[in-house]
Amino acid sequence: MAMERATRQRDAIRTAIEAAKRPLSPREVQQEARSKVPGLGLATVYRNLKSLAGDGIVRTISLPGESPRYEPAESPHHHHFQCVTCRRVFDIPGCPGNLRRLAPRGFRVEQHDVTLYGRCSDCNKRGGRASR
Ligand SMILES: [Zn+2]
Ligand SMILES: [Zn+2]
């Protein structure tokens, strides 16, 4: 049944994002969700991500110069770490807080993003040679 397959695809994609505990690229979503929906195509992943974002279930993480990643929309305030070697993005729980004082006098801060860049523990262990 086409309808059933569509539901299964959407559920698998949603579950992959919720289980990941870090923002996933569409390709990573595809890899994770394929264990439940063999043959899942990238175009289908993109279509479902768009619809899940439109329904407020997932949200987009946009880092400069990177294609979007996706994470559950209801995650509490947190920040990200991007590995410069494998390009994966990880969650950093918590927040340095009180960034308002960095703004010039008379300016009002409404929101902030903090992204740390470096090597993840996997890449660090491998000695850090660039590999994609
Ligand atoms: Zn890495
Ligand atoms: Zn913060």
Side-chain angles (χ1 to χ4, degrees):
M1 287 280 233
M3 199 55 197
E4 246 169 62
R5 178 162 169 86
T7 306
R8 214 146 40 84
Q9 287 169 340
R10 187 178 157 101
D11 286 349
I13 287 164
R14 182 181 177 163
T15 305
I17 291 169
E18 283 168 356
K21 309 286 182 217
R22 65 180 189 85
L24 296 183
S25 67
R27 209 167 275 283
E28 289 172 325
V29 170
Q30 181 191 29
Q31 282 163 7
E32 294 300 320
R34 261 188 172 170
S35 59
K36 290 201 188 97
V37 185
L40 179 67
L42 200 53
T44 304
V45 172
Y46 274 107
R47 183 159 26 82
N48 278 281
L49 288 172
K50 202 177 248 188
S51 120
L52 287 165
D55 292 344
I57 292 163
V58 303
R59 73 171 164 227
T60 309
I61 303 301
S62 301
L63 299 179
E66 290 288 320
S67 54
R69 306 315 204 261
Y70 295 83
E71 69 180 12
E74 82 279 12
S75 16
H77 181 79
H78 65 278
H79 295 292
H80 296 115
F81 181 108
Q82 183 170 36
C83 177
V84 297
T85 302
C86 67
R87 314 303 298 177
R88 285 184 297 173
V89 179
F90 299 87
D91 282 0
I92 302 171
C95 176
N98 196 22
L99 296 168
R100 281 157 206 265
R101 69 194 143 77
L102 298 177
R105 184 185 295 273
F107 285 55
R108 183 197 164 97
V109 176
E110 295 183 343
Q111 56 161 316
H112 65 260
D113 280 320
V114 178
T115 307
L116 304 181
Y117 295 92
R119 287 208 174 93
C120 72
S121 54
D122 289 346
C123 291
N124 228 358
K125 262 183 260 162
R126 275 198 294 268
R129 190 165 323 148
S131 65
R132 285 234 186 154

